[in-house]
Amino acid sequence: MIEIKNLVFVVLCFFGDACCMVPIHQYDRSAGMPAWEGNRLNALAVQYDGAGSVVGIDLAIGVTGHFAPPLDAQFVQQFVACSRGGRVEDPTGVGGNPMDPILLAHAQNVIGREIMYRIIAKLEPRIQCVDSVRTVIYDMNSEISSNLLDSINICANLLVGINIARNDSAADFISDLIGFANGHIDPSVVFNALFNNPVVFVSNRIFQCANGDSITITDSAVATAVINNVIRILNVHESNLRANVDALRFRLVFDPTAQDQYAPADNTIIITGNPCNCNLVTGPILSNGFEQTHVETQWRQLQASSTLKHELGHYLRIGLENMVGDPAFLNVGPALFVSGVLSSEYVIHLADIWDDAEELAEIFGIVFSGGNLLRDRLNQSDFNLEGEPHHADSVRYSHRDSRFPLVPYKFFNSAFERGGVLPIPDKNVVFYDKPIASI
């Protein structure tokens, strides 16, 4: 198997020059974002981080200290409301809202808060859209028994608003309404479009056509039958839209007897609340006399809020952004070699350290997108580094529950160098010129 990986890797790498290290630029997930999502994203930032806050390539906080009690608890509630079912599931019956302190600690971290902003901005407008359609249908139905004209007007405003019926004249509208009620107009395309361009509808009981016409009822029995048919059809398409939105939403489960994980099949996130044992990069730095070669790690614990960030990162990229996986490292591996970050001997072992490229992206922030090697700052290690009190040894290395005592210096430096300073507590350089294994 290693021989095959070597062959594939060499073929891919002959197209590059590994003589010098190329800087890894930041991944900008805000590029190309639809207006409705961007508007919600920045509205959240202003609401919770104060005037002047904006989320572009990263979160720029307008008012330092604005995010404080009771805003933090309110924000957590708003985030949980975006989950499927709108609550934290507790199958073991632990009780006492054990996820609350984990969610609060996550939200109080600027990296954690930004990823929660981004998740809310992708989900909340869609949830509000389908909820508003349900409310309009309910109001149409409730008005039939008390005021049939109000029901027709509410229906008219909805059907015109989603481009199913014409607004030129009352005659044109009635023609489209009857065609819709009889199944001659298929609203599937329109409702599918609402998933990617959500709109919030209101129950408006006043309707007037563009030419000034108003709707009149000449036969109440026929009108009632038409509206009932419309309600029946709308119910079907609202249910389909809701199912699509619910499938996108995450399930948040607290279960101390399970394993921390994200399941992409149904967007379920399970959090145990237990600390995570892993390799944290601490230093010192090893040198062979000519160049710095490796940085040492220590086996330490990370708290449950860091684990939550890890799983939410997977959900954001896989569940919401549809980033394609690269389990064999056939894209990011050669790119790391060509960029001068890793040796060929090391690249063939990436799967042994990280399992797949998504784990590398979440823990170390290295992604391959659009043919480019990029750095996603919304990673678990950056979350750890932003924690309070500040911990310089919070860069995690590897996804496996195994000891990896050394990190290649260029790899670590390319991802986490900050203005010439590495985030490690022990910056001493130690001379070591003996051969070191690839992993």
Side-chain angles (χ1 to χ4, degrees), residues 262-345:
Y262 162 66
D266 65 350
N267 287 325
T268 294
I269 296 168
I270 298 177
I271 300 298
T272 67
N274 302 319
C276 170
N277 294 311
C278 56
N279 303 287
L280 295 184
V281 187
T282 60
I285 301 167
L286 303 188
S287 171
N288 61 12
F290 296 97
E291 62 178 347
Q292 294 166 332
T293 60
H294 295 83
V295 186
E296 291 191 10
T297 74
Q298 297 292 329
W299 190 246
R300 296 185 178 175
Q301 285 189 337
L302 290 173
Q303 297 304 307
S305 59
S306 180
T307 302
L308 175 61
K309 162 62 199 75
H310 182 105
E311 307 307 343
L312 286 178
H314 289 323
Y315 169 61
L316 176 65
R317 275 184 300 276
I318 300 172
L320 297 180
E321 296 178 337
N322 297 313
M323 290 190 72
V324 178
D326 181 18
F329 292 89
L330 294 180
N331 292 320
V332 70
L336 286 167
F337 171 76
V338 170
S339 299
V341 172
L342 288 176
S343 67
S344 59
E345 292 83 4

Coordinates of all heavy atoms in Angstrom, one line a residue, residues 262-345:
Y262 N -19.2 13.9 15.0 CA -20.2 14.5 14.1 C -20.5 13.4 13.0 O -19.6 12.8 12.4 CB -19.6 15.7 13.4 CG -20.4 16.1 12.1 CD1 -21.7 16.6 12.2 CD2 -19.8 16.0 10.9 CE1 -22.4 16.9 11.1 CE2 -20.5 16.3 9.7 CZ -21.8 16.8 9.8 OH -22.5 17.1 8.7
A263 N -21.8 13.1 12.8 CA -22.3 12.1 11.9 C -22.9 12.9 10.7 O -24.0 13.4 10.8 CB -23.3 11.2 12.5
P264 N -22.2 12.9 9.5 CA -22.7 13.7 8.4 C -23.9 13.1 7.8 O -24.7 13.9 7.1 CB -21.5 13.6 7.4 CG -20.7 12.5 7.8 CD -20.8 12.3 9.3
A265 N -24.2 11.9 8.0 CA -25.4 11.3 7.4 C -26.7 12.0 7.8 O -27.6 12.2 7.0 CB -25.5 9.8 7.7
D266 N -26.8 12.4 9.1 CA -27.9 13.1 9.5 C -27.6 14.4 10.4 O -28.4 14.9 11.1 CB -28.9 12.2 10.4 CG -28.2 11.8 11.7 OD1 -27.0 12.0 11.8 OD2 -28.9 11.2 12.5
N267 N -26.4 14.9 10.2 CA -25.9 16.1 10.8 C -26.1 16.1 12.4 O -26.5 17.1 13.0 CB -26.6 17.3 10.2 CG -26.1 17.7 8.8 OD1 -24.9 17.5 8.5 ND2 -27.0 18.1 8.0
T268 N -25.8 14.9 12.9 CA -25.9 14.8 14.4 C -24.5 15.1 15.0 O -23.5 14.5 14.6 CB -26.3 13.4 14.8 OG1 -27.7 13.2 14.3 CG2 -26.3 13.2 16.3
I269 N -24.5 15.9 16.1 CA -23.3 16.2 16.9 C -23.5 15.7 18.3 O -24.5 16.0 18.9 CB -23.1 17.7 16.9 CG1 -22.8 18.3 15.5 CG2 -21.9 18.1 17.9 CD1 -22.8 19.8 15.4
I270 N -22.6 14.8 18.7 CA -22.7 14.2 20.0 C -21.5 14.7 20.8 O -20.4 14.6 20.4 CB -22.7 12.6 19.9 CG1 -23.9 12.1 19.2 CG2 -22.7 12.1 21.4 CD1 -23.8 10.6 19.0
I271 N -21.9 15.2 22.0 CA -20.9 15.8 22.9 C -21.0 15.0 24.2 O -22.1 14.9 24.8 CB -21.1 17.3 23.1 CG1 -20.9 18.0 21.8 CG2 -20.1 17.8 24.2 CD1 -19.6 17.9 21.1
T272 N -19.8 14.5 24.7 CA -19.9 13.8 26.0 C -19.6 14.6 27.2 O -20.0 14.3 28.3 CB -18.8 12.7 26.0 OG1 -17.5 13.3 26.0 CG2 -18.9 11.8 24.8
G273 N -19.0 15.8 27.0 CA -18.6 16.6 28.1 C -17.3 16.2 28.8 O -16.9 16.9 29.8
N274 N -16.7 15.2 28.3 CA -15.4 14.7 28.9 C -14.2 15.4 28.2 O -14.2 15.8 27.0 CB -15.3 13.2 28.7 CG -16.5 12.5 29.3 OD1 -16.9 12.8 30.4 ND2 -17.0 11.5 28.6
P275 N -13.1 15.6 29.0 CA -11.9 16.2 28.4 C -11.3 15.3 27.3 O -11.6 14.1 27.3 CB -10.9 16.3 29.6 CG -11.8 16.2 30.8 CD -13.0 15.3 30.4
C276 N -10.6 15.8 26.4 CA -10.0 15.1 25.3 C -8.5 15.1 25.5 O -7.8 16.1 25.6 CB -10.3 15.8 24.0 SG -9.4 15.2 22.5
N277 N -7.9 13.9 25.5 CA -6.5 13.7 25.6 C -5.9 13.7 24.2 O -6.3 13.1 23.3 CB -6.1 12.4 26.2 CG -6.5 12.3 27.7 OD1 -6.3 13.2 28.4 ND2 -7.2 11.2 28.1
C278 N -4.8 14.6 24.0 CA -4.3 14.7 22.7 C -2.8 15.3 22.7 O -2.4 15.7 23.8 CB -5.1 15.6 21.8 SG -5.4 17.2 22.5
N279 N -2.2 15.3 21.6 CA -0.9 15.9 21.5 C -1.0 17.4 21.4 O -1.6 17.9 20.4 CB -0.1 15.4 20.3 CG 0.0 13.9 20.3 OD1 0.8 13.3 21.0 ND2 -0.7 13.2 19.4
L280 N -0.4 18.2 22.3 CA -0.4 19.7 22.2 C 1.0 20.1 21.9 O 2.0 19.7 22.6 CB -1.0 20.3 23.4 CG -2.5 20.1 23.7 CD1 -2.9 20.8 24.9 CD2 -3.3 20.4 22.5
V281 N 1.2 21.0 21.0 CA 2.6 21.5 20.6 C 3.1 22.5 21.7 O 2.5 23.5 21.8 CB 2.5 22.1 19.2 CG1 4.0 22.5 18.8 CG2 1.9 21.2 18.2
T282 N 4.2 22.1 22.3 CA 4.7 22.9 23.5 C 6.1 23.4 23.2 O 6.5 24.4 23.9 CB 4.7 22.0 24.7 OG1 5.6 20.9 24.5 CG2 3.3 21.5 25.1
G283 N 6.9 22.8 22.3 CA 8.3 23.1 22.3 C 9.0 22.2 23.2 O 8.4 21.4 24.0
P284 N 10.4 22.2 23.3 CA 11.2 23.1 22.5 C 11.3 22.8 21.0 O 10.7 21.8 20.6 CB 12.6 22.9 23.2 CG 12.5 21.5 23.7 CD 11.1 21.3 24.1
I285 N 12.1 23.6 20.3 CA 12.4 23.5 18.9 C 13.7 22.7 18.7 O 14.7 23.0 19.3 CB 12.4 24.8 18.2 CG1 11.1 25.6 18.5 CG2 12.7 24.7 16.7 CD1 11.2 27.1 18.1
L286 N 13.6 21.7 17.8 CA 14.8 21.0 17.5 C 15.5 21.5 16.2 O 14.9 22.0 15.3 CB 14.5 19.5 17.2 CG 13.8 18.8 18.4 CD1 13.7 17.3 18.0 CD2 14.4 19.0 19.7
S287 N 16.9 21.5 16.2 CA 17.6 22.0 15.1 C 18.8 21.1 14.8 O 19.4 20.5 15.8 CB 18.2 23.4 15.4 OG 19.1 23.8 14.4
N288 N 19.1 20.9 13.5 CA 20.2 20.0 13.2 C 21.5 20.8 13.0 O 22.5 20.3 12.5 CB 19.9 19.2 11.9 CG 19.6 20.1 10.7 OD1 19.9 21.3 10.7 ND2 19.1 19.5 9.7
G289 N 21.5 22.1 13.3 CA 22.6 22.9 13.1 C 22.6 23.8 11.9 O 23.3 24.8 11.8
F290 N 21.7 23.4 11.0 CA 21.5 24.2 9.7 C 20.2 24.8 9.7 O 20.0 25.9 9.2 CB 21.8 23.3 8.5 CG 23.2 22.8 8.4 CD1 23.5 21.5 8.8 CD2 24.2 23.6 7.8 CE1 24.7 21.0 8.7 CE2 25.5 23.1 7.7 CZ 25.8 21.8 8.2
E291 N 19.2 24.1 10.2 CA 17.8 24.6 10.1 C 17.0 24.0 11.3 O 17.4 22.9 11.8 CB 17.1 24.2 8.8 CG 17.0 22.7 8.5 CD 16.3 22.4 7.2 OE1 15.7 23.3 6.7 OE2 16.3 21.2 6.8
Q292 N 15.9 24.6 11.6 CA 15.0 24.1 12.6 C 14.2 23.0 12.0 O 13.6 23.2 10.9 CB 14.2 25.2 13.2 CG 15.0 26.2 14.0 CD 14.3 27.5 14.3 OE1 13.4 27.9 13.6 NE2 14.7 28.2 15.4
T293 N 14.1 21.8 12.6 CA 13.5 20.7 11.9 C 12.2 20.2 12.5 O 11.3 19.8 11.8 CB 14.5 19.5 12.0 OG1 14.8 19.2 13.4 CG2 15.8 19.8 11.3
H294 N 12.0 20.3 13.9 CA 10.8 19.8 14.5 C 10.5 20.6 15.8 O 11.4 21.3 16.3 CB 11.0 18.3 14.9 CG 11.2 17.4 13.8 ND1 12.4 17.1 13.1 CD2 10.3 16.6 13.1 CE1 12.2 16.3 12.1 NE2 10.9 15.9 12.1
V295 N 9.3 20.4 16.2 CA 8.8 21.0 17.5 C 8.2 19.9 18.3 O 7.5 19.0 17.8 CB 7.8 22.1 17.3 CG1 7.5 22.8 18.6 CG2 8.3 23.2 16.3
E296 N 8.6 19.8 19.6 CA 8.1 18.8 20.5 C 6.6 19.0 20.9 O 6.2 20.2 21.0 CB 9.0 18.6 21.7 CG 10.4 18.1 21.4 CD 11.1 17.7 22.6 OE1 10.5 17.7 23.7 OE2 12.3 17.4 22.5
T297 N 5.9 17.9 21.2 CA 4.6 18.0 21.8 C 4.5 17.3 23.1 O 5.5 16.6 23.5 CB 3.6 17.3 20.8 OG1 3.7 15.9 21.0 CG2 3.7 17.7 19.4
Q298 N 3.5 17.6 23.9 CA 3.2 16.9 25.1 C 1.8 16.3 25.1 O 0.9 16.9 24.4 CB 3.4 17.9 26.3 CG 4.8 18.4 26.5 CD 5.8 17.4 26.9 OE1 5.4 16.5 27.6 NE2 7.0 17.6 26.5
W299 N 1.6 15.3 25.9 CA 0.2 14.6 25.9 C -0.6 15.3 27.0 O -0.3 15.2 28.2 CB 0.4 13.1 26.3 CG -0.8 12.3 26.1 CD1 -1.4 11.7 27.2 CD2 -1.5 11.9 25.0 NE1 -2.5 10.9 26.7 CE2 -2.6 11.1 25.3 CE3 -1.4 12.3 23.6 CZ2 -3.5 10.6 24.4 CZ3 -2.3 11.8 22.7 CH2 -3.3 10.9 23.1
R300 N -1.6 16.1 26.6 CA -2.4 16.9 27.6 C -3.8 16.8 27.3 O -4.3 16.2 26.3 CB -1.8 18.3 27.6 CG -0.4 18.4 28.1 CD 0.1 19.8 28.2 NE 1.4 19.9 28.7 CZ 2.2 21.0 28.9 NH1 1.6 22.1 28.5 NH2 3.4 20.9 29.3
Q301 N -4.6 17.5 28.1 CA -6.1 17.5 27.9 C -6.6 18.8 27.4 O -6.1 19.9 27.7 CB -6.8 17.2 29.3 CG -6.7 15.8 29.8 CD -7.5 15.6 31.0 OE1 -7.9 16.5 31.7 NE2 -7.9 14.3 31.2
L302 N -7.7 18.7 26.6 CA -8.5 19.8 26.1 C -9.9 19.7 26.7 O -10.4 18.6 26.8 CB -8.5 19.9 24.6 CG -7.2 20.3 23.9 CD1 -7.4 20.2 22.4 CD2 -6.8 21.7 24.3
Q303 N -10.5 20.8 27.0 CA -11.8 20.8 27.6 C -12.9 20.6 26.6 O -12.7 20.6 25.4 CB -12.1 22.1 28.3 CG -11.1 22.4 29.5 CD -11.1 21.2 30.5 OE1 -12.2 20.8 31.0 NE2 -9.9 20.7 30.8
A304 N -14.1 20.3 27.1 CA -15.3 19.9 26.2 C -15.7 21.0 25.2 O -16.2 20.7 24.2 CB -16.5 19.6 27.1
S305 N -15.4 22.3 25.6 CA -15.8 23.4 24.6 C -14.9 23.3 23.4 O -15.4 23.6 22.3 CB -15.6 24.7 25.3 OG -14.3 24.9 25.7
S306 N -13.7 22.8 23.5 CA -12.8 22.6 22.4 C -13.3 21.5 21.5 O -13.3 21.6 20.3 CB -11.4 22.4 22.8 OG -10.5 22.2 21.7
T307 N -13.8 20.4 22.1 CA -14.4 19.3 21.4 C -15.6 19.8 20.6 O -15.8 19.4 19.5 CB -14.7 18.2 22.4 OG1 -13.6 17.8 23.0 CG2 -15.3 17.0 21.6
L308 N -16.4 20.6 21.3 CA -17.6 21.1 20.6 C -17.2 21.9 19.4 O -17.8 21.8 18.3 CB -18.4 22.0 21.6 CG -19.7 22.7 21.0 CD1 -20.7 21.7 20.4 CD2 -20.3 23.6 22.0
K309 N -16.2 22.7 19.5 CA -15.7 23.5 18.3 C -15.3 22.5 17.2 O -15.5 22.8 16.0 CB -14.5 24.4 18.7 CG -13.6 24.9 17.6 CD -14.4 25.8 16.6 CE -13.7 25.9 15.3 NZ -13.9 24.7 14.4
H310 N -14.6 21.5 17.6 CA -14.1 20.5 16.6 C -15.3 19.9 15.8 O -15.3 19.9 14.6 CB -13.4 19.4 17.4 CG -12.8 18.3 16.5 ND1 -11.5 18.2 16.2 CD2 -13.4 17.3 15.8 CE1 -11.3 17.2 15.4 NE2 -12.4 16.6 15.2
E311 N -16.3 19.5 16.5 CA -17.5 18.9 15.8 C -18.3 19.9 15.0 O -18.8 19.6 13.9 CB -18.4 18.1 16.8 CG -17.6 17.1 17.7 CD -16.8 16.1 17.0 OE1 -17.0 15.9 15.7 OE2 -15.9 15.5 17.6
L312 N -18.4 21.1 15.6 CA -19.1 22.2 14.8 C -18.4 22.5 13.5 O -19.0 22.9 12.5 CB -19.3 23.4 15.7 CG -20.4 23.3 16.8 CD1 -20.5 24.6 17.6 CD2 -21.8 23.0 16.2
G313 N -17.0 22.5 13.6 CA -16.2 22.8 12.4 C -16.5 21.8 11.3 O -16.6 22.1 10.1
H314 N -16.6 20.5 11.7 CA -17.0 19.5 10.7 C -18.3 19.8 10.1 O -18.5 19.7 8.9 CB -17.0 18.1 11.3 CG -15.6 17.6 11.7 ND1 -14.5 17.8 10.9 CD2 -15.2 16.8 12.8 CE1 -13.5 17.1 11.5 NE2 -13.9 16.6 12.6
Y315 N -19.3 20.1 11.0 CA -20.6 20.4 10.5 C -20.7 21.6 9.5 O -21.4 21.5 8.5 CB -21.6 20.6 11.7 CG -22.9 21.2 11.3 CD1 -23.8 20.4 10.5 CD2 -23.3 22.4 11.8 CE1 -25.0 20.9 10.2 CE2 -24.6 22.9 11.5 CZ -25.4 22.2 10.7 OH -26.7 22.7 10.3
L316 N -19.9 22.6 9.9 CA -19.9 23.8 9.0 C -19.4 23.5 7.6 O -20.0 23.8 6.6 CB -19.1 24.9 9.6 CG -18.9 26.2 8.8 CD1 -20.3 26.9 8.5 CD2 -17.9 27.1 9.4
R317 N -18.2 22.8 7.6 CA -17.6 22.5 6.3 C -18.4 21.4 5.5 O -18.6 21.6 4.3 CB -16.2 22.1 6.5 CG -15.2 23.2 6.6 CD -13.8 22.7 6.7 NE -13.6 21.9 7.9 CZ -13.3 22.4 9.1 NH1 -13.2 23.7 9.3 NH2 -13.2 21.6 10.1
I318 N -18.7 20.3 6.2 CA -19.3 19.2 5.5 C -20.8 19.4 5.3 O -21.4 19.3 4.2 CB -19.1 17.9 6.2 CG1 -17.5 17.6 6.3 CG2 -19.8 16.7 5.5 CD1 -17.2 16.4 7.2
G319 N -21.5 19.7 6.4 CA -23.0 19.7 6.4 C -23.5 21.0 5.7 O -24.6 20.9 5.0
L320 N -22.9 22.1 5.9 CA -23.4 23.4 5.4 C -22.7 24.0 4.2 O -23.3 24.6 3.3 CB -23.4 24.5 6.5 CG -24.3 24.1 7.7 CD1 -24.1 25.3 8.7 CD2 -25.7 24.0 7.3
E321 N -21.3 23.7 4.0 CA -20.6 24.2 2.9 C -20.3 23.2 1.8 O -19.7 23.5 0.8 CB -19.3 24.8 3.4 CG -19.5 26.0 4.4 CD -18.2 26.6 4.9 OE1 -17.2 25.9 5.0 OE2 -18.2 27.8 5.3
N322 N -20.6 21.9 2.1 CA -20.5 20.9 1.1 C -19.0 20.8 0.6 O -18.8 20.6 -0.6 CB -21.4 21.1 -0.1 CG -22.9 21.0 0.4 OD1 -23.3 20.1 1.1 ND2 -23.7 21.9 -0.1
M323 N -18.1 20.9 1.5 CA -16.7 20.8 1.1 C -16.4 19.3 0.9 O -16.7 18.5 1.7 CB -15.7 21.4 2.2 CG -15.8 22.9 2.3 SD -14.5 23.6 3.3 CE -13.1 23.4 2.2
V324 N -15.8 19.0 -0.3 CA -15.6 17.6 -0.7 C -14.4 17.0 0.1 O -13.4 17.7 0.3 CB -15.3 17.5 -2.2 CG1 -15.0 16.1 -2.6 CG2 -16.5 18.0 -3.0
G325 N -14.6 15.8 0.7 CA -13.5 15.2 1.4 C -12.4 14.7 0.6 O -12.5 14.5 -0.6
D326 N -11.2 14.5 1.2 CA -10.0 14.0 0.5 C -9.3 13.0 1.4 O -8.3 13.3 2.0 CB -9.1 15.2 0.2 CG -7.8 14.8 -0.5 OD1 -7.8 13.7 -1.1 OD2 -6.9 15.6 -0.5
P327 N -10.0 11.8 1.6 CA -9.5 10.9 2.6 C -8.1 10.4 2.3 O -7.3 10.0 3.2 CB -10.5 9.8 2.6 CG -11.2 9.9 1.3 CD -11.2 11.3 1.0
A328 N -7.7 10.3 1.0 CA -6.4 9.8 0.7 C -5.3 10.9 0.6 O -4.2 10.6 0.2 CB -6.5 9.0 -0.6
F329 N -5.7 12.1 0.9 CA -4.7 13.2 0.8 C -4.1 13.4 -0.6 O -3.0 13.8 -0.7 CB -3.6 13.1 1.8 CG -4.1 13.2 3.3 CD1 -4.5 12.1 3.9 CD2 -4.1 14.4 3.9 CE1 -5.0 12.2 5.2 CE2 -4.6 14.5 5.2 CZ -5.0 13.4 5.9
L330 N -4.8 13.1 -1.6 CA -4.3 13.2 -3.0 C -4.3 14.6 -3.5 O -3.6 14.9 -4.5 CB -5.2 12.3 -4.0 CG -5.1 10.8 -3.7 CD1 -6.0 10.1 -4.7 CD2 -3.7 10.3 -3.8
N331 N -5.0 15.5 -2.8 CA -5.0 16.9 -3.2 C -4.1 17.7 -2.3 O -3.1 18.4 -2.7 CB -6.4 17.5 -3.2 CG -7.2 17.0 -4.3 OD1 -6.8 16.8 -5.4 ND2 -8.5 16.7 -4.0
V332 N -4.4 17.7 -1.0 CA -3.7 18.5 0.0 C -2.2 18.0 0.2 O -1.3 18.8 0.4 CB -4.4 18.6 1.3 CG1 -4.4 17.3 2.1 CG2 -3.9 19.7 2.2
G333 N -2.0 16.7 0.1 CA -0.7 16.1 0.3 C 0.3 16.7 -0.7 O 1.4 17.3 -0.3
P334 N 0.1 16.5 -2.0 CA 1.0 17.1 -3.0 C 1.2 18.6 -2.9 O 2.3 19.1 -3.1 CB 0.4 16.7 -4.3 CG -0.4 15.4 -4.0 CD -0.9 15.6 -2.6
A335 N 0.1 19.3 -2.5 CA 0.2 20.7 -2.4 C 1.1 21.1 -1.2 O 1.8 22.1 -1.3 CB -1.2 21.3 -2.2
L336 N 1.1 20.4 -0.1 CA 2.0 20.6 1.0 C 3.4 20.4 0.6 O 4.3 21.1 1.0 CB 1.6 19.8 2.2 CG 0.3 20.2 2.9 CD1 -0.1 19.1 3.9 CD2 0.5 21.5 3.7
F337 N 3.6 19.4 -0.2 CA 5.0 19.1 -0.7 C 5.5 20.2 -1.7 O 6.6 20.7 -1.5 CB 5.0 17.7 -1.4 CG 6.3 17.4 -2.1 CD1 7.5 17.1 -1.4 CD2 6.4 17.5 -3.5 CE1 8.7 16.9 -2.0 CE2 7.6 17.3 -4.1 CZ 8.7 17.0 -3.4
V338 N 4.6 20.5 -2.7 CA 5.0 21.5 -3.6 C 5.3 22.9 -3.0 O 6.1 23.6 -3.4 CB 3.9 21.6 -4.7 CG1 4.2 22.8 -5.6 CG2 3.9 20.4 -5.6
S339 N 4.5 23.2 -1.9 CA 4.7 24.4 -1.2 C 6.0 24.4 -0.3 O 6.3 25.5 0.3 CB 3.5 24.7 -0.4 OG 2.3 24.8 -1.2
G340 N 6.6 23.3 -0.2 CA 7.8 23.2 0.6 C 7.6 23.1 2.1 O 8.5 23.3 2.9
V341 N 6.3 22.7 2.4 CA 6.0 22.6 3.8 C 6.3 21.2 4.4 O 6.7 21.1 5.6 CB 4.4 22.9 4.0 CG1 4.0 22.6 5.4 CG2 4.1 24.3 3.6
L342 N 6.1 20.2 3.6 CA 6.4 18.8 4.1 C 7.3 18.1 3.1 O 7.2 18.3 1.9 CB 5.1 18.1 4.3 CG 4.3 18.4 5.5 CD1 3.0 17.7 5.6 CD2 5.0 18.2 6.8
S343 N 8.0 17.1 3.6 CA 8.8 16.3 2.7 C 7.9 15.2 2.1 O 6.8 14.9 2.6 CB 9.9 15.6 3.5 OG 9.4 14.7 4.4
S344 N 8.4 14.5 1.0 CA 7.6 13.5 0.4 C 7.5 12.3 1.4 O 6.5 11.6 1.4 CB 8.3 13.0 -0.9 OG 9.6 12.6 -0.6
E345 N 8.5 12.0 2.2 CA 8.5 10.9 3.1 C 7.4 11.1 4.2 O 6.8 10.2 4.6 CB 9.8 10.7 3.8 CG 11.0 10.2 2.9 CD 11.6 11.4 2.1 OE1 11.2 12.5 2.3 OE2 12.5 11.1 1.3

